[in-house]
Structures are given as C-alpha cells and as structure tokens.
Amino acid sequence: MKSRITRLVSGGLTRRRFLQYSSLAVGSSVLAACTSGSQNAGAPPPTADGIKVGVLYSTTGTIAIVEKSLQDATFLAVEQINQGTGPWSGKKGIAGKNIDMVVVNPDSNWDLYNQMSKRLIDEDKVVCVLGCYTSASRKSVLPVFEEKDKLLYYPVYYEGNECSSNVFYTGAAPNQQITDSIPYCIKNFGPKGFFIGSDYIYPKESNRIAKAELEKGGGQVVGDEYAALGTTEFITIINKIKQAQPDFILSNLVGDSIPAFYKQLKDAGINASDVPIMAFPTTEEEIQAMGPEFAEGHYSSFNYFQSVDTPENKAFVEQFKAKFGGDRVTNGVMEAAYFQTFFMAQAMEKLAAEGKEFTTANIREATRGQVFKAPQGTVKIDPENYHTFLYSRIGKWNAEGQAEIVFSTQAAVKPIPWSQALYKGRICVHKTPDDRTDPTVETNKELPVEFLKI
Amino acid sequence: MSVCALQIGSSLVSSLIDLAQTAPAEPKAAFSMIAFANQLLNGVGIVGILLLTGLGLAITFGVMRIINLAHGEFIMLGAYVSFVLQSAFKMDLLLTIPFAFLFTALVGAVVELTIIRRLYGRPLETLLATWGLSIVMQGIVKLIFTAQLKYVKAPPYIRGNLTVFGSGEQAVEISYYRLFIVVVALLLLALTAFLLYKTSLGREVRAVTQSREMAKCLGVNTSLIDMATFAYGCGLAGIAGSVISSLKSVAPPMGQDYLVDAWMTVVAGGVDKLVGVLAGAALIGESKAAIAFLLDDPAARVIVLAALIILIRYRPEGLFTIQKRA
C-alpha cells in the first residue's frame, strides 16, 4: 500500500480542490482572528459621549500571558478614573466624561498589531492608544502612528535607541535597567557573563548594550545564545553554560520560555548560589508560574517590584487583587501600564480645564512633564525625550516569590533613550511645541546621572 | 496535511530569517568531548519528550489515519489536569498521571463521538475540524484558567542528576527527571505495542484500520473500536502533557509547541509501525541536539526541518514502513 496520506497530497487533491480548501482554511483563520478581535471581556460598556481610547494588547497567542495582565492593569486604571476611586479620588472621569476603551486583540501577531492600530485610528477614531508589549509589535505599529500622527503610550522597558514624537515610553530606557545591573553583577558575582535571550529585537539589542557595559566594566561575555520565541527546551543552552562556566547568566528570555529555563537550569544541577541569573524580563508573574523555589536566589533588575514599600503601592496591590483575585501578583510592566493611563488622564484633564480640544498635538504637549505618584514612587514624563523618570532597582527573589530589594536609587533616574555604551553622548530633545523634526542631539560628552528633583 | 506543511513551512521561513539575523558566532571554546558527551545524553532527553508527545499521534494518525491538529491541545489538557489536581488536592505529580489519561481519553471519546465519527474518509474536513477544535479548546481553557502561566510542582524524589561517569566539572550527567520521561515514554510504547499486537482488542483495531467493511461483516463493533482507539491516543497525549508539565511551561498555547514536533516525529518514522515513532524521535532528537551544540538552536531547527522535508520528498512513507502489496 502506498500510504493514504501520499495519495491525499499528490493525487487525490486537484488544484481546484486545493484552492477551495486553502481559501476555506484562510477564511476560518481570519474569522477566528476577527471574533477574538472584538472580544473585550471585562471592559465596561461604551457610553454616549465618552473619550475613546484604544487598548491594544493580545489576549490570545504566545504573548497573551504577559499582555493580558497589562490589559488588566489598564482596565483597573480606567475603572478608577471613571468611578473616581484610587488615585483619582474626588474626581470623576475627565471633567465628567468617561473614558471609553476600544479593546482589540492582535493575537500575538506582529502584522495584526499594525492592522488593528489602523483600525483603531481610522474606524474607531480613538484619541490615543495604550498598548503593545514586545518591541517587535511596537516597531510594527510605529509607522502607523507616525504617518497618521497619533499617540501611543507604551508601558514596557525596552532596548532604547528610539525617540518618536508619537510615543510616550513609560517603561525603562537602557540607562534605567541595564547600566545599574551590569556593574552590580561584576562587583557581586564576577566578570564572566553568559548572555541568553529570546530571538527578536529586544533581547538582542538589550544584550548588545549589556555586552558593551560589561566590557566597559572589565568583564567578558563567555556565551551569547538565543532561543526562538516560545521555546521551552533549553537543554542545549544549559549544556553550553556548563561548558563556559560563567560567573552569572544574563537572561533576556521572555514569556513562557522563562519558567522552562529556570526549572531546567535547576534540574540540570546549576544552583543560584553557583551561577545566579540576572534577568530583565523575569517578574513576579513568571516566578509565580515557575514556583518560587526555582527562582530563589536569582536576581531581576526592574523599576518596580510588588514588595516596594510605598503607600501608593500598598493601595495598588490591594485594589488589583480586589478586582482580579487574591492569588494575582503585580509586576513592573503592569505598574507602568497602570500609571501611564493616569499620565494620559491628567493630560486630558489639563486640556479640559483649559478648554482645549483633544487633538494629538494638544495631548502631546499636555503629557510632557506630567508628574504622578506611582506605586514605585514619584515618576515624571521627561518633557525632552518623552521617556519616563523611573527608579532603578535590583531585587533578589526569595522563597515566597517576592523580591528583596538589594539596590535602589534614591529618586527616579532621568531617562536616556540612546544607549551611552553604544552611542556616547547622543540624546534626544523634542522641540517645544513639538514640530516632529528629528530630535537627535549629539553632545559627544559623558552624560551624568540625573535624578528627579521634586 | 497541508496545514501541517504550512506550519512547518512558516516556522522554517521564520527560522531562516532568524538564521540570517544571527550575528557571526564568536570564537567557540575548544571542542570538549565531555560537553559533547553531555550533549548526546541531552539528546536522549529530547528524544524522550518527542517520543512521549508523538506516541498519541502515532495512534490517532498512524493507526487511524485521522489528521488530528488538536493533538497539542490534548497534551495541554493533560498538563492542566495535573495542575488542577495538584492545586486543589495537593496530589503528587505521579498520582495525577492516571487522571490525566482518563480525562483526556474521555474528552477524546466525546470528540470522536461528536465530530471525528462523522468525518471518516474525509481527511481534509477532519483536518479543518480538528484545527477549529484546537482553537476552541485553547479558548475554553483560557476562559476557565485565564492566560496566565501555571505552576506544576515536580515530585521531590525525582530531583538531581545521574552521573554516568566523571565527576565535578568533567561529569557526564543526565537529570533524573529527563530519565523519568524517557522511561515513561518507553513503557508507554511497549504497552501500546502489546495492546496493539498481542491482544484481541488490538487485532480488532488493526482489522478495522485495514478494512472497515470486512471487519464489520465479521462482527467487530467498528464504531466502538474507533472511539476506543481515538480515546486511547488522546489519553496518551494527556499523559505526555502531565509528565512534561513540571519541566516546561503550562499555558493555553503550549500544545502548539509540541504539535509540529510530534508530526515530524511520526512522519519521519513512518506511520505503519510503532517502532517508527521511536526511530523518528531518536533521529530528530539526537540530530537536533548535535546540531544545536555545534551551531545554535535556531540553526538546528532550520536544518532538521529542511532535512525532514527532503526525507518526506523521497520517502513519503517515512523511514520504517514495510512495503505492502497495494
């Protein structure tokens, strides 16, 4: 018998039938994407004359694991703004108007982010958009926002080297995450670092910057390995780590790769006391998913940890758990997704008070320089480069899956979008008012660390 | 099959792009025999997982010729059964395995009864139906458990590493958990072979596969056999999910990861003989491990997939198929 499957592929299937079936297949996948796209579980129903704001996070696909919780944090902030609770106590909405979220789901597909952002802008006519997690998705929507001159609030630590007039970056720039953690590693663990990451823009760029920092500090990269997004098999990379015998591992793995890597590393007999992991994207959420025992003794560098001791953070954690369940944890990206919504709301409030319209140019100018008492401490949008003054912290994970903060700056650090290890002295200054010309300025000088003065 | 090829194709393309982006490798450390020996053992670990995830498919596709694109989701279901039992009743992972089997088998039986049964002999419709089913199953699990990653605890007594020889830095080791996976996979393979070739039930299954009409005439309850076989294949996937859940990540889309690998294993090995799955898993697992060690993971993915496409081109029936009369 020539097996049936061959017949099926070669003989039994005419071109016409193939076309029929394949178009059916394509159609059904489009249908699936569309139905999931209109799903907005948990979002309040739209009101008559609210302010339309797009919310662009995937709730299906590989990245859904992270982006769903960003969406949750955004929902919490919008609910507080509309109901006048939490940090918005004593007010109600934006001068009486509700924020109406238009929630779309790009299904972890970079192309869909592009299409959905067009849809949000052209069809739903949103005022601005909150969203995106991976750099790949940001790069995918960036041309849309720049071409149509709309604003994106982007809540994620990223590799830097970008300074658009159409994006407010409320996550960490390289100097707020990488530049403090690498000297810490050299000092406390040793000079030999093994770099791993998921195979896309952010981990590669981030590792490139970290490598420059490490070499500047007299260290050495003994390995540089990448795994495809979503990989959960790390046996080979772990073997290479064993062979290279580094003093520490720098991990830029994201999503479901993180628990798999930490578990398999311990399973292979490498303990945190021998070779600690310093990670950027590993947060409370992933630690909970892998079981705290696997992360105990490893480190993460972040602006915010759930264990940060401020009254704002206590309230945030409490309110988040009350809305989404007591077993949920908060993390740095969620915190940024939360406070950036208030940056946007404060800007809108300012415009409403001045009687101005919510045009892109007006919102942009109003958002510049906004200050907010976030859970991590007081943060501010830098009026020059649209990134955010943030704290820089390093946490050591304990047996409960919470971070013991072993390093923290005294105040929020001024963001520098360009990696100073790669582009010395390059900064970014948007004109006031912003005419959307190239903001890059070369100072060719060593930039001092500046802190936020309140 | 076209979707499967499509998936393999698209992941090949993305891997190729990855490969193109990969910066020239820095000078490698001196080639170490110890590390390479470790890597070959690691390959055994990969083979174990491939075998485990491919085995269920070897039943549903190999024996029944059902193109089951929801196979990965049955693996996911097994993992979630372990998660639920562990978090609700504090059960040991090993104790949850039978429940994972029973539950996924039950779901498999229902699926066979309501969907697959109506589509026998129409492989393309089956393909679309199971593809849709995989989306539905992911969606349901996500609605119940949210998209968050879940944590499944490994039993404390399968910890640590078995040192094959050497010691300290120069040791050649394999973790007990990986060994455990290999052992479970081999036991299940043996059990399945026994059921299929040494019991009357197995004989009936093979009879139905070879000639449904004839088997019916001879008094075999074909619809019952179909349901049992499909349920068994799904149950095996459930066991796979349960066993690997504590080593990997548990999340609604996790099954997609294993689907392509499971298909590659089954197709490479050949679908007519169970031993083909073992051969396919060994071939793919070890070559992946070796190439990943010499180059890197994305490159290994590209090369193995490309090699497999060439293999299917020249031996569409796989490596281990005995020639039968047409």
Side-chain angles (χ1 to χ4, degrees):
Chain A
M1 184 188 89
K2 192 113 166 94
S3 85
R4 252 161 81 184
I5 192 70
T6 3
R7 254 195 298 136
L8 193 155
V9 171
S10 56
L13 192 62
T14 62
R15 170 168 298 224
R16 178 180 291 265
R17 287 200 72 185
F18 176 75
L19 283 178
Q20 280 172 353
Y21 284 122
S22 55
S23 60
L24 191 60
V26 169
S28 66
S29 71
V30 168
L31 193 69
C34 293
T35 47
S36 57
S38 59
Q39 164 204 74
N40 55 355
T47 47
D49 63 344
I51 302 158
K52 275 191 173 178
V53 171
V55 177
L56 183 65
Y57 294 114
S58 294
T59 50
T60 50
T62 341
I63 295 298
I65 292 155
V66 194
E67 296 202 3
K68 183 71 181 69
S69 49
L70 300 188
Q71 198 192 54
D72 288 347
T74 308
F75 285 175
L76 175 67
V78 170
E79 185 188 273
Q80 291 181 338
I81 291 165
N82 286 345
Q83 297 179 355
T85 54
W88 215 249
S89 297
K91 307 178 228 184
K92 200 154 189 354
I94 312 288
K97 277 189 183 176
N98 266 357
I99 292 181
D100 278 348
M101 292 184 284
V102 182
V103 182
V104 291
N105 170 20
D107 194 31
S108 303
N109 175 340
W110 311 155
D111 295 332
L112 274 182
Y113 279 85
N114 184 297
Q115 291 171 27
M116 297 243 170
S117 63
K118 279 184 192 148
R119 181 193 130 179
L120 284 173
I121 294 168
D122 291 341
E123 289 172 37
D124 297 314
K125 309 244 180 288
V126 296
V127 175
C128 57
V129 177
L130 305 159
C132 292
Y133 173 74
T134 59
S135 288
S137 64
R138 188 191 67 252
K139 295 272 186 205
S140 156
V141 301
L142 193 62
V144 178
F145 283 91
E146 291 193 331
E147 187 205 318
K148 299 182 188 288
D149 192 18
K150 285 284 168 186
L151 288 173
L152 171 71
Y153 290 79
Y154 176 66
V156 188
Y157 56 94
Y158 81 116
E159 69 281 359
N161 307 339
E162 191 179 290
C163 199
S164 168
S165 291
N166 294 85
V167 182
F168 284 103
Y169 306 83
T170 58
N175 74 312
Q176 295 164 315
Q177 194 173 27
I178 304 174
T179 35
D180 282 317
S181 54
I182 296 296
Y184 184 89
C185 288
I186 299 174
K187 196 172 147 223
N188 292 286
F189 314 139
K192 282 193 291 178
F194 194 104
F195 288 16
I196 60 167
S198 295
D199 202 2
Y200 73 100
I201 311 166
Y202 165 73
K204 291 204 153 175
E205 276 295 303
S206 176
N207 279 354
R208 191 163 71 107
I209 296 166
K211 187 177 178 187
E213 291 287 341
L214 187 61
E215 281 163 1
K216 203 171 88 183
Q220 175 199 359
V221 180
V222 294
D224 201 5
E225 293 284 331
Y226 297 90
L229 208 62
T231 302
T232 51
E233 182 60 82
F234 288 98
I235 208 164
T236 307
I237 290 181
I238 290 169
N239 190 25
K240 288 183 183 176
I241 291 174
K242 276 187 177 169
Q243 198 191 355
Q245 296 175 19
D247 295 316
F248 67 94
I249 299 165
L250 186 82
S251 164
N252 264 315
L253 293 171
V254 302
D256 38 6
S257 297
I258 296 174
F261 176 69
Y262 280 64
K263 283 183 192 172
Q264 290 168 25
L265 190 72
K266 188 165 183 185
D267 187 53
I270 300 178
N271 292 315
S273 51
D274 310 328
V275 188
I277 302 171
M278 171 64 78
F280 300 140
T282 305
T283 70
E284 284 85 350
E285 191 127 61
E286 286 82 18
I287 305 259
Q288 193 190 30
M290 73 177 83
E293 54 180 316
F294 292 100
E296 194 182 348
H298 291 300
Y299 296 79
S300 285
S301 170
F302 237 97
N303 316 105
Y304 166 91
F305 291 100
Q306 191 180 324
S307 54
V308 167
D309 189 21
T310 62
E312 287 79 18
N313 185 38
K314 278 206 188 72
F316 169 57
V317 173
E318 210 167 274
Q319 289 151 1
F320 187 83
K321 289 191 174 204
K323 186 167 163 69
F324 295 104
D327 57 338
R328 292 287 298 273
V329 290
T330 58
N331 68 33
V333 204
M334 288 156 72
E335 190 240 13
Y338 176 76
F339 74 66
Q340 72 169 8
T341 314
F342 288 98
F343 275 145
M344 176 197 78
Q346 286 179 353
M348 288 174 172
E349 202 181 30
K350 187 180 166 198
L351 290 178
E354 292 170 358
K356 288 185 186 162
E357 270 185 69
F358 292 167
T359 61
T360 300
N362 283 346
I363 296 176
R364 184 189 290 134
E365 294 307 321
T367 309
R368 296 172 86 163
Q370 282 290 349
V371 178
F372 181 69
K373 270 197 144 180
Q376 64 172 280
T378 303
V379 293
K380 179 186 176 183
I381 298 257
D382 188 313
E384 288 178 355
N385 59 32
Y386 299 177
H387 287 59
T388 311
F389 281 81
L390 298 167
Y391 285 76
S392 172
R393 294 187 170 100
I394 294 171
K396 183 179 184 182
W397 299 106
N398 64 19
E400 280 79 50
Q402 290 294 331
E404 178 197 320
I405 295 164
V406 293
F407 169 87
S408 175
T409 51
Q410 286 308 308
V413 184
K414 183 182 163 70
I416 305 173
W418 299 91
S419 155
Q420 295 304 301
L422 295 176
Y423 308 98
K424 193 178 156 214
R426 183 180 293 183
I427 56 168
C428 163
V429 181
H430 289 292
K431 294 209 173 68
T432 328
D434 194 342
D435 55 4
R436 305 179 67 210
T437 48
D438 183 11
T440 316
V441 176
E442 303 285 355
T443 64
N444 294 317
K445 278 186 293 194
E446 193 88 28
L447 300 176
V449 182
E450 283 179 51
F451 293 103
L452 178 63
K453 292 182 198 75
I454 314 153
Chain B
M1 205 51 206
S2 67
V3 171
C4 186
L6 206 75
Q7 278 196 353
I8 293 181
S10 71
S11 60
L12 180 66
V13 168
S14 65
S15 306
L16 271 172
I17 295 168
D18 292 343
L19 192 65
Q21 286 176 343
T22 310
E26 70 275 8
K28 292 273 174 209
F31 187 82
S32 149
M33 278 321 288
I34 294 290
F36 194 72
N38 258 321
Q39 187 62 18
L40 290 182
L41 262 188
N42 287 342
V44 174
I46 299 177
V47 171
I49 291 172
L50 285 176
L51 183 58
L52 199 56
T53 51
L55 200 54
L57 203 62
I59 300 293
T60 50
F61 178 63
V63 177
M64 297 180 76
R65 296 298 149 90
I66 295 168
I67 299 177
N68 182 11
L69 289 188
H71 181 70
E73 275 58 44
F74 283 100
I75 296 177
M76 173 202 57
L77 272 191
Y80 270 89
V81 169
S82 286
F83 163 74
V84 167
L85 291 177
Q86 215 176 51
S87 55
F89 306 109
K90 304 255 171 295
M91 270 167 87
D92 191 283
L93 181 69
L94 292 196
L95 291 180
T96 66
I97 293 175
F99 293 98
F101 174 82
L102 288 178
F103 182 76
T104 43
L106 190 71
V107 174
V110 172
V111 166
E112 202 276 342
L113 206 61
T114 50
I115 302 171
I116 309 282
R117 170 159 303 181
R118 290 152 218 286
L119 299 172
Y120 280 122
R122 292 194 287 169
L124 281 166
E125 281 88 342
T126 316
L127 182 149
L128 280 180
T130 53
W131 189 19
L133 182 70
S134 85
I135 297 172
V136 169
M137 282 166 74
Q138 275 190 47
I140 291 176
V141 169
K142 190 173 305 160
L143 281 179
I144 301 173
F145 297 100
T146 75
Q148 255 74 41
L149 290 166
K150 297 296 179 210
Y151 166 45
V152 176
K153 199 170 160 21
Y157 43 84
I158 336 183
R159 280 275 167 84
N161 286 276
L162 174 75
T163 306
V164 181
F165 62 83
S167 63
E169 307 284 2
Q170 297 296 307
V172 175
E173 314 173 301
I174 182 164
S175 92
Y176 282 116
Y177 202 88
R178 301 265 179 187
L179 270 184
F180 165 67
I181 292 177
V182 175
V183 170
V184 170
L186 288 176
L187 282 179
L188 286 179
L189 181 69
L191 176 72
T192 307
F194 173 78
L195 286 177
L196 210 51
Y197 297 111
K198 297 282 181 219
T199 62
S200 58
L201 182 71
R203 197 162 50 242
E204 287 181 9
V205 170
R206 285 180 290 138
V208 172
T209 318
Q210 281 166 12
S211 169
R212 182 175 305 270
E213 295 307 312
M214 196 62 205
K216 218 178 213 167
C217 292
L218 294 172
V220 177
N221 185 345
T222 53
S223 56
L224 187 68
I225 291 289
D226 282 335
M227 191 168 81
T229 317
F230 189 77
Y232 180 71
C234 294
L236 289 180
I239 295 183
S242 177
V243 169
I244 55 183
S245 62
S246 82
L247 194 65
K248 303 213 168 183
S249 312
V250 180
M254 68 181 278
Q256 296 299 313
D257 239 27
Y258 304 108
L259 182 69
V260 175
D261 282 351
W263 273 101
M264 289 201 313
T265 306
V266 173
V267 173
V271 293
D272 285 340
K273 286 226 143 204
L274 267 181
V275 71
V277 197
L278 182 61
L283 183 76
I284 293 172
E286 282 295 348
S287 49
K288 242 187 179 170
I291 299 169
F293 180 73
L294 298 173
L295 301 168
D296 55 26
D297 265 334
R301 214 179 149 76
V302 176
I303 293 169
V304 170
L305 275 169
L308 206 73
I309 290 170
I310 295 167
L311 175 79
I312 297 173
R313 165 65 185 81
Y314 288 102
R315 275 191 76 94
E317 68 280 9
L319 287 177
F320 273 78
T321 299
I322 36 164
Q323 290 296 322
K324 290 187 209 154
R325 277 177 295 165

